Amino acid sequence: MITISLCMIVRNEEQVLARCLDSVADLMDEVIIVDTGSTDQTKAVARRYTDKIYDFSWNDDFAAARNFSFSKATKDYIYCADADEVLDEVNRRRFLDLKQVLLEEVEIVQMYYCNQLAFNTVYNYDREYRPKLYKRIREFRFIDPIHEMVRLDPVVYDSEIEIQHLPTAYHGSRDIEHFEKMIADHRTVSQRLHTMYAKELFIGGTIDEFSRAMEFFRQSAEDGARSIDEIKEAICILARGARRLEDTETFFQYALRGVACEPPSELCCELGDYYLEKKNYNEAALWYSNAAFETECILNIRYQREYPLKQLISCYQAAGNLEAAEEIQLMLDQEIS
């Protein structure tokens, strides 16, 4: 049977840390808690489960804190958990079964991360695989009997374990603050982080956060080194930001650019929202129909079907077309169920 180190980074998690540790601590052979500056009773809660508690001076770098926690591990594998995660009894048994039978060749175990959409997170799936269990020491070996080479890809196992994500608050503003600091410090925003920043803004950004982000995404939209996906993300943010800031000229500048070639559903919804605000219900319905039936989302999965269908119902009801509204309501009911 393998041995596992639980590695966590925490800060002001006294409300949820015990809930998490009650569900996983007894499955572990070592519990390591790295505190990045708590001002509540987080460390007192942690002491009920382990004496391996370390302080890490926060430097605006989650990766550095994670790496520090991993450096303290001594067991075969490392389980990486956040304080707002919970394993129910069914998945505790699955985890224990996995621990007893996992082959040593496996270097990463993926587990289902669940309950994302209930909390308006940037992850557009309610249930998705994430790497959660890592072999602490990786052995490099040659493969192929001729033209041999070192195997670079890890051996990954997709388990049936489901982790419930149960946050108590929305963390979007915290993350946006980190993005803003990265940009102010002239640090490179990778393609992955570009997408995450756009999602955070689109899903939960305030008007002030949009206002501060507009110049970054303007530059991104004009940057020839950015991919077409990143440019589409930038256009969505610029159109949404301009509409919320009541800058009609900028709104149509980027909305028209975006619809010129395979517009995402988010952009169609922005046009629908603009015309709905103007009480032009027929034009609004056209764009919501495009969002729901002709295009795909890139930032917020709710804009693929749920949101435009709800808005279509509002358009048809306002225009007095109750039969069409009832037809769309049936679609929406099926979508939600």
Side-chain angles (χ1 to χ4, degrees):
M1 182 166 59
I2 64 168
T3 58
I4 303 177
S5 300
L6 170 64
C7 289
M8 301 178 67
I9 61 172
V10 297
R11 184 177 184 179
N12 292 339
E13 301 285 7
E14 67 174 349
Q15 292 184 357
V16 294
L17 183 57
R19 181 184 67 181
C20 173
L21 290 173
D22 283 343
S23 75
V24 300
D26 63 327
L27 302 173
M28 305 296 156
D29 301 280
E30 179 177 58
V31 175
I32 294 166
I33 306 291
V34 171
D35 189 277
T36 62
S38 292
T39 56
D40 63 2
Q41 295 299 307
T42 294
K43 288 199 281 188
V45 174
R47 288 190 193 99
R48 305 205 306 254
Y49 300 87
T50 182
D51 60 357
K52 295 185 177 181
I53 301 170
Y54 303 90
D55 290 314
F56 180 84
S57 297
W58 183 240
N59 60 355
D60 293 319
D61 190 332
F62 285 97
R66 294 279 188 205
N67 290 336
F68 178 77
S69 73
F70 275 32
S71 75
K72 301 300 181 181
T74 64
K75 305 305 178 184
D76 301 330
Y77 285 80
I78 298 172
Y79 180 60
C80 182
D82 288 330
D84 56 8
E85 297 174 8
V86 176
L87 283 179
D88 62 21
E89 197 55 42
V90 170
N91 289 287
R92 279 172 45 81
R93 289 196 296 270
R94 288 174 178 168
F95 199 110
L96 184 59
D97 291 343
L98 174 75
K99 184 176 179 181
Q100 293 172 334
V101 303
L102 188 66
L103 299 176
E104 64 177 14
E105 291 84 358
V106 174
E107 294 165 322
I108 294 176
V109 177
Q110 296 205 115
M111 302 176 187
Y112 285 114
Y113 209 64
C114 302
N115 212 36
Q116 291 285 75
L117 296 180
F119 295 94
N120 211 29
T121 69
V122 298
Y123 299 99
N124 281 329
Y125 301 92
D126 209 37
R127 184 173 180 264
E128 64 174 346
Y129 267 131
R130 286 194 186 179
K132 295 295 290 182
L133 188 66
Y134 305 85
K135 195 167 189 179
R136 186 173 63 86
I137 299 176
R138 185 181 179 191
E139 297 176 347
F140 289 95
R141 296 183 179 276
F142 280 91
I143 57 174
D144 297 329
I146 189 171
H147 298 300
E148 70 282 357
M149 62 174 289
V150 171
R151 177 175 54 78
L152 300 178
D153 295 331
V155 177
V156 179
Y157 172 66
D158 293 339
S159 75
E160 292 301 313
I161 297 170
E162 296 182 347
I163 301 166
Q164 294 297 314
H165 182 219
L166 302 174
T168 58
Y170 176 66
H171 298 303
S173 292
R174 178 201 67 184
D175 295 340
I176 288 172
E177 183 179 344
H178 282 286
F179 285 121
E180 290 176 349
K181 190 172 189 307
M182 283 185 66
I183 293 164
D185 292 342
H186 304 289
R187 295 170 63 186
T188 300
V189 178
S190 66
Q191 181 170 354
R192 175 177 173 273
L193 290 183
H194 187 281
T195 300
M196 299 300 285
Y197 187 18
K199 286 183 175 181
E200 295 280 14
L201 279 169
F202 196 91
I203 292 173
T206 66
I207 290 178
D208 287 342
E209 288 166 345
F210 267 95
S211 181
R212 293 194 296 269
M214 293 293 277
E215 182 56 33
F216 170 78
F217 284 102
R218 281 194 190 97
Q219 294 180 17
S220 185
E222 307 298 333
D223 187 349
R226 290 287 183 184
S227 68
I228 185 64
D229 290 337
E230 290 170 288
I231 291 172
K232 285 184 177 182
E233 293 163 1
I235 287 172
C236 283
I237 294 301
L238 291 166
R240 187 173 180 83
R243 185 178 65 80
R244 294 184 65 182
L245 293 164
E246 300 182 348
D247 182 351
T248 303
E249 181 178 351
T250 300
F251 170 71
F252 277 107
Q253 175 188 349
Y254 288 104
L256 291 174
R257 185 185 300 187
V259 301
C261 181
E262 297 183 6
S265 55
E266 289 91 344
L267 192 57
C268 292
C269 285
E270 286 302 310
L271 284 158
D273 288 346
Y274 173 83
Y275 286 111
L276 184 59
E277 290 171 358
K278 301 296 182 183
K279 295 183 170 53
N280 187 339
Y281 303 119
N282 290 335
E283 193 68 19
L286 183 151
W287 287 108
Y288 290 133
S289 293
N290 270 285
F293 305 117
E294 304 293 337
T295 60
E296 296 182 359
C297 67
I298 60 173
L299 297 176
N300 187 342
I301 195 171
R302 298 186 190 279
Y303 279 63
Q304 183 78 51
R305 293 275 287 178
E306 180 182 337
Y307 181 78
L309 289 177
K310 286 181 178 178
Q311 298 299 86
L312 265 177
I313 293 169
S314 298
C315 289
Y316 289 141
Q317 288 176 337
N321 191 346
L322 300 183
E323 184 177 345
E326 290 177 3
E327 182 180 341
I328 299 299
Q329 184 65 60
L330 289 174
M331 290 186 190
L332 181 60
D333 292 342
Q334 292 175 351
E335 192 74 22
I336 295 175
S337 60

